[in-house]
Amino acid sequence: MIARADRYTFEQPPENLNGYDPTRGAGDMIWDAHEAARAVNFFGDCLVLTSGKTAGQPFRLERWQADFVATLYGWKRPDKDRTRRYREAFFAVPRKNGKTETGAGLALFGLMCDREQAAQVYSAAKNRDQAALVYEPASRMAERSPMLSGRLKCIDSKKRIVHYGSSSYYQAVSADAGSAHGKSPHLVIFDEAHTQPNAKLYEGLKTGMGFRRQPLFVNTTTAGTDRHSLCYQVWSYARQVRDGKVDDLTFLPMLYEIGEGEDWQDRDAWRRCNPNLDVTVTMEFLEDEYRRACSSPLYENSFRNLYLNEWTQQAVRWFSMSSWNACAAPQPDLTGRECWIGVDLAATTDITAVVAAFPMDDGTIYIVPHFWIPAEAISARSHRDKVPYEQWAKAGLVTATDGGATDYDSVRAWIEKFAESHWVQQIRMDPWNAQQVATQLQQAGLPVEAMRQGYASISGPSKEFERAIVNRTLRHASNPVLDWMAGNVAIESDAAGNIKPSKAKSTERIDGIVAAVMSIAGLVTRAETQQSYYANNPLEMA
């Protein structure tokens, strides 16, 4: 099909793009071998790689990439102008398989070699940082290529590349920069669609293409987690076109993903999902990531999502109980030691939890919890949750307060008593429903800091908490209440990779784990403050 020496030729069209046959039902569409080769060889003839061990070498596409680009540009319509057949493409590969660089190369080809005057080429993403991920390799290729550097001008401050010869420009745009309306795109590289907050940018750019003679919209993405998202809708459509369930001669799907029900630990599946294996991603790297995934249910989700292109659930079991149990240790004497406290005050039906985190001299962190529950409904709650609240209360692990709601005065009094024998550095509380308790603790001379439970504030401490469990630097006395909560907790993630414990998705109560993460947040802030201080005062280290 393809004879490759220094350059590719395409006398016959590729017939299999990982399960999709573009010749199927092609009817009177026309294959143009010259145009296919022209687009593919643009990469090797005009572009150089710009990072890693291959920096400076010609950007010669791998066979699978060449087949995709050749198919995209080689098929023509039977109209008098022989315009391109395809109007939209879906290019889905796992991370580290050259997706971004391929998109950057397509952007440069569309900018100066696609015979379109005053072309507008866009790389689009969720935010400016993500949009720049396509612009940056494109600009480096333009500046370092002997063939392009004299023809293109890169304006980094605007994330723009200009081709004066055709009055065309390439621009990086993002969903957070406002409306896409008013633009007239010739080519769009829509990067990581799974991160988009909604369909506005996608639809704005697509609807602006009507003016163009042969517009092209290329989705380059990895899998996400939200099956209600725009990306999943387009992904599902791409599968239908690939499998012949939908006849759409204008849509080109190329999907590298693990099959439904396929064993994610199967190395053959890894090879099928990663077409650039041993080129830009190594089996050794995947094995390292796999070992990490085996020790963390959360990272198992990430491994399957990032490296096998599997649409995973947003909420997953956070850590294995074997890892949690391995952190159990007898409680040492903590009298007088400095600690950071997290407080998760209950709504009517929840458990109130207070957890103190003590940094130890050996680098470990010891956590000490206590819990509160309303006494009025303790029997009914034991039956409903199928846990022995009454036994825990008799053992002093849970304080049962009078009435049908937790008595916050009891919680405040316990913290104040605890502070008499321990050096409390900070108390972190969610400000919702906690203003009175926070004010009373501050009036008692204790340092209180508000901490909301959204991604922005809790993701970093959550990752530190997980890391401490996996690395066995967390210590706990195997408190039965906290152990139960550790077995319940599920984690939720967003498209940016932020995580947080999810009360909605967890099987049962997790209040103690949430409070523990909040206590760790104070330690994270303390470590960052110390690092910043010494970085700014290097002479005082002597």
Side-chain angles (χ1 to χ4, degrees), residues 111-175:
L111 174 64
M112 62 183 301
C113 297
D114 210 14
R115 304 184 183 96
E116 183 79 10
Q117 287 295 312
Q120 296 177 23
V121 176
Y122 297 101
S123 64
K126 175 185 177 182
N127 53 43
R128 286 180 59 84
D129 290 341
Q130 183 70 40
L133 292 181
V134 176
Y135 170 80
E136 288 169 358
S139 63
R140 290 196 300 267
M141 289 177 191
E143 291 171 341
R144 299 177 190 181
S145 166
M147 297 285 288
L148 305 185
S149 58
R151 295 176 170 86
L152 300 175
K153 179 177 177 58
C154 300
I155 308 171
D156 290 345
S157 61
K158 296 182 178 181
K159 298 292 187 288
R160 175 178 286 216
I161 303 174
V162 180
H163 180 232
Y164 292 109
S166 63
S167 301
S168 302
Y169 66 84
Y170 156 65
Q171 179 80 53
V173 297
S174 59

Side-chain angles (χ1 to χ4, degrees), residues 4 49 59 61 75 121 177 185 193 266 295 335 407 431 470 526 531:
R4 177 178 179 180
L49 297 168
F59 186 178
L61 296 175
W75 281 100
V121 176
D266 183 355
S295 66
T335 304
D407 180 5
V470 171
R526 168 219 192 204
Q531 183 178 14

Side-chain angles (χ1 to χ4, degrees), residues 500-518:
K500 64 177 182 178
S502 174
K503 289 186 178 181
K505 301 295 179 67
S506 296
T507 55
E508 293 290 350
R509 310 298 175 191
I510 63 167
D511 312 271
I513 299 298
V514 172
V517 170
M518 295 174 75

Side-chain angles (χ1 to χ4, degrees), residues 1 20 35 39 79 81 121 183 185 190 231 255 376 391 396 414 436 472 475 483 506 510:
M1 188 192 312
Y20 169 68
E35 286 298 296
D79 54 38
D81 296 327
V121 176
K183 295 177 170 59
F190 202 80
C231 185
L255 301 166
E376 188 175 282
Q391 294 180 28
W414 187 93
Q436 182 176 350
R472 309 290 194 266
R475 296 286 184 271
D483 287 350
S506 296
I510 63 167

